[in-house]
Amino acid sequence: MLKKILACTLALFCLTASVGCAKTNSDTAAPAQGTPNNGTDYTVTPDISFDISGKNIVDLSDGTGSMEYAFDASMSSLAEHASLIVEGEICNIYYTAVEHNAWTQMDVRITSCIAGEYAPGDIISVYTLGGYISMKERFSAAEIQDFYGNLSEDELGNTWLLDLPEGVALPEEGQQYLFFLAPSGDYLPDGTYETLLGYANSLFTIDDNGYSNEFTDVTFQRDALEQCAQNENADL
């Protein structure tokens, strides 16, 4: 019953995503200490970090609606709008909240930089919409009183929400992807990056045949991506 109530309520909060909110500059945080393989650590620590262990998780993926984007998820469109294209491994994950929405911070150790100024071994923080969030962070005190006033403080404190904007499982530590990124919007920490079109559309698995995205069914080869990235840089 709680899941049904939450899903119906959150249907009113359907988000519309676009790239218009990205910063126009590419300022990065000051480098921290070097990593063991001589890379530089550019990561940040979020102000809010959720520990979901032992919590009652309510999956909201059936009630969040569909996302709308400013452009399609083709290789050429992603390369055109990305200021940073890298291969990398997720070495750390934080579940956090920004303006009452669930966000996931992925610290990514770069293994190959296709477009951008980073080197292999550098670690950056990447934000994407979706993740786990507490009810008290997701809803205002008035909303909790109006819709969930029947829940005890213990129930409120132990009930956490899983928000998957596209209904696709969240990335996990240890996974390796090709990332299409842009500098984060002003609402996110300085020096971080944001996935274009959400993680479901802009994270591509890597194999001997190139890159692929199971959500969009888009596939392409590295040489095609490198040529496309070079063409975009030539137009700047």
Side-chain angles (χ1 to χ4, degrees):
M1 178 61 70
L2 176 60
K3 177 177 179 179
K4 184 177 293 184
I5 293 173
L6 288 170
C8 291
T9 302
L10 286 202
L12 301 175
F13 294 90
C14 179
L15 297 171
T16 300
S18 71
V19 296
C21 59
K23 293 180 181 177
T24 57
N25 60 63
S26 58
D27 294 342
T28 57
Q33 64 183 8
T35 61
N37 54 357
N38 297 322
T40 301
D41 187 345
Y42 295 95
T43 60
V44 304
T45 301
D47 293 333
I48 300 173
S49 181
F50 300 131
D51 180 3
I52 61 171
S53 58
K55 300 296 191 297
N56 175 37
I57 305 298
V58 177
D59 187 348
L60 300 175
S61 56
D62 291 335
T64 54
S66 59
M67 304 290 286
E68 297 179 0
Y69 298 104
F71 56 89
D72 62 59
S74 66
M75 180 195 70
S76 58
S77 291
L78 289 168
E80 176 185 355
H81 291 90
S83 60
L84 180 63
I85 306 173
V86 297
E87 294 181 8
E89 178 181 349
I90 301 173
C91 54
N92 192 30
I93 282 181
Y94 297 94
Y95 301 117
T96 186
V98 179
E99 298 180 351
H100 302 293
N101 289 308
W103 287 80
T104 297
Q105 176 183 313
M106 300 173 283
D107 291 342
V108 176
R109 187 187 303 275
I110 295 171
T111 55
S112 178
C113 187
I114 296 170
E117 302 299 323
Y118 290 96
D122 289 347
I123 310 176
I124 59 174
S125 291
V126 175
Y127 274 74
T128 193
L129 188 63
Y132 295 89
I133 187 170
S134 67
M135 290 188 67
K136 290 185 177 181
E137 285 290 341
R138 181 63 179 87
F139 301 112
S140 67
E143 289 170 333
I144 290 176
Q145 180 61 39
D146 289 343
F147 296 106
Y148 311 111
N150 61 319
L151 298 180
S152 68
E153 283 297 315
D154 285 344
E155 288 175 313
L156 286 173
N158 287 312
T159 300
W160 290 60
L161 313 175
L162 171 59
D163 190 1
L164 306 175
E166 305 284 3
V168 178
L170 292 167
E172 298 179 359
E173 289 183 20
Q175 293 179 333
Q176 299 185 44
Y177 291 103
L178 171 74
F179 295 78
F180 288 91
L181 305 171
S184 294
D186 292 332
Y187 44 85
L188 296 172
D190 288 340
T192 65
Y193 288 86
E194 190 173 345
T195 58
L196 294 180
L197 309 186
Y199 66 93
N201 291 275
S202 63
L203 301 191
F204 287 74
T205 57
I206 308 167
D207 57 36
D208 293 340
N209 296 318
Y211 309 107
S212 60
N213 184 302
E214 294 183 359
F215 180 67
T216 61
D217 292 327
V218 173
T219 62
F220 49 87
Q221 300 293 315
R222 176 165 178 142
D223 56 353
L225 175 61
E226 289 176 339
Q227 183 61 53
C228 186
Q230 290 175 4
N231 292 340
E232 292 299 333
N233 289 334
D235 292 337
L236 295 178

